[in-house]
Amino acid sequence: MKTYDLLVIGFGKAGKTLAAKMSGLGKKVALVEKDAQMYGGTCINVACIPTKTLIHAAEENLSFAQAMALKDTVTARLRQKNQAALTGAGVDLYTAKAKFISNKVVEISVGDEREQLSADVIVINTGAVSNHLPIEGLAESRHVYDSTGIQQLESQPERLGIIGGGNIGLEFASLYANLGSQVTVLENSPMILGRADEAVAQLAKSYLEEDGVRFVLAAQVEKVSNQGDAVLVKTSDQTYEFDALLYATGRKPNVEDLGLENTDIQLTERGAIQVDDFCETSVKNVYAVGDVHGGLQFTYTSLDDFRIVFGKLTGKGHYSLKERRNVPNTVFINPPLSQVGLTEKEAQAAGLPYQSKELPVANMPRAHVNNDLRGLYKVVVHSETKEILGATLFGQASQENINLIKMAMDNKIPYTYLKNQIFTHPTMAENLNDVFNF
Ligand SMILES: Cc1cc2nc3c(=O)[nH]c(=O)nc-3n(C[C@H](O)[C@H](O)[C@H](O)COP(=O)(O)OP(=O)(O)OC[C@H]3O[C@@H](n4cnc5c(N)ncnc54)[C@H](O)[C@@H]3O)c2cc1C
């Protein structure tokens, strides 16, 4: 049995960063990834990077075929770069499936070949997989895809159905509508975008509708089937016909086939690996990082898990999940919708003394330069402490500017600082002067 100082299972953001760093410190490190097409992890191959490349390509008026080819070029380049970064750092990279056979022994297999590895520290970074709702016919029907499958299509569907109006569903809705498909989103709640500010969600819906997306809200999908080459989706009211169907109904921690039953690693009620504030599982020196431990599912939270485990292993820091501050997010529809902290409704529900303010993007000088007047900035501040409680930025460049607000919030910088800050002009950031001008 080969032994290592550190063994990482899965090529995710936290794990690969940790592997390279620890190897750089002279540790003997191995990383096991089950699929060579996933070198670099989910983000690079089938999530953030390819989807945003496709979205950007569609906005630049590239055709479906051109956009797909560009996406393949970008992901291949990043895969290669990630592989080189790890092996260049001296990490032993195994392309094999990993499975625990005891608390500290992992069996790796390729076909019938098996090998056992052990390490002082083991880090599980196996990500998440798409939720498969128990809808009759969903699993068996043809032309039905999850977010990975829909990125591999060889031809553009004329009619695309999407089950789920959350971040992933809406990004694909926006993308395919931009590419010219007829898109229908079937959302089971009365509104899209879950916990987003209601006025902003309404505005986002209207822009997506202008781009040709049709919404069926409060939809109860009962059955999926095929008729010839078409996919039929039966709801309680109606039957819809599509050329392809995407189900985007959330992602769950990827713990299947990991052999956890052979260990003392505990799962949470929701099926994630249970960890403490330092991402350590119920087995000492076995950690779980990224989507698999059931926290927020973002590449940057996975990277933040790396910081926690690296600090713990090297004794160079005491940062933990407890200290993690505000986590912003962006839905990459057009224009992008970004959010951090509390919405007005949440501030109200928490009984906080607050003030809120809205500023239409149409009032912003840069919006006229951009020739895109769509959107709205909305902020919520504490009326006594002057701290920022939350912000929703819906407009061009919101994916960048939300990070400024996150920094102000984390550092308890009062909103008056952003109100009086000197910003370059003409930019979208400079509008923080006005939206914080209470
Ligand atoms: C369509 C889509 C779009 C997204 N867009 C964004 C975005 O814009 N921004 C953002 O921050 N986040 C986005 N996300 C979320 C983000 O991709 C994930 O949160 C992030 O990639 C999680 O990384 P991770 O570190 O948990 O591991 P992952 O990157 O998921 O890596 C897990 C790896 O483990 C491997 N593996 C699994 N089981 C085994 C095993 N038994 N043996 C060996 N290897 C194994 C897998 O093949 C995989 O490569 C998106 C997700 C999706 C699906």
Side-chain angles (χ1 to χ4, degrees), residues 112-154:
D112 290 338
E113 281 178 38
R114 289 175 204 293
E115 192 177 348
Q116 290 186 359
L117 306 179
S118 179
D120 293 341
V121 176
I122 300 179
V123 174
I124 306 168
N125 190 199
T126 49
V129 289
S130 303
N131 269 332
H132 215 268
L133 295 185
I135 297 170
E136 187 186 339
L138 186 70
E140 305 82 40
S141 301
R142 288 173 293 116
H143 310 300
V144 176
Y145 308 93
D146 70 358
S147 62
T148 301
I150 199 79
Q151 295 174 55
Q152 318 301 333
L153 296 185
E154 283 177 3

Side-chain angles (χ1 to χ4, degrees), residues 39-57:
Y39 282 171
T42 301
C43 173
I44 280 163
N45 294 293
V46 293
C48 333
I49 299 295
T51 56
K52 275 73 209 181
T53 304
L54 289 169
I55 288 167
H56 185 67

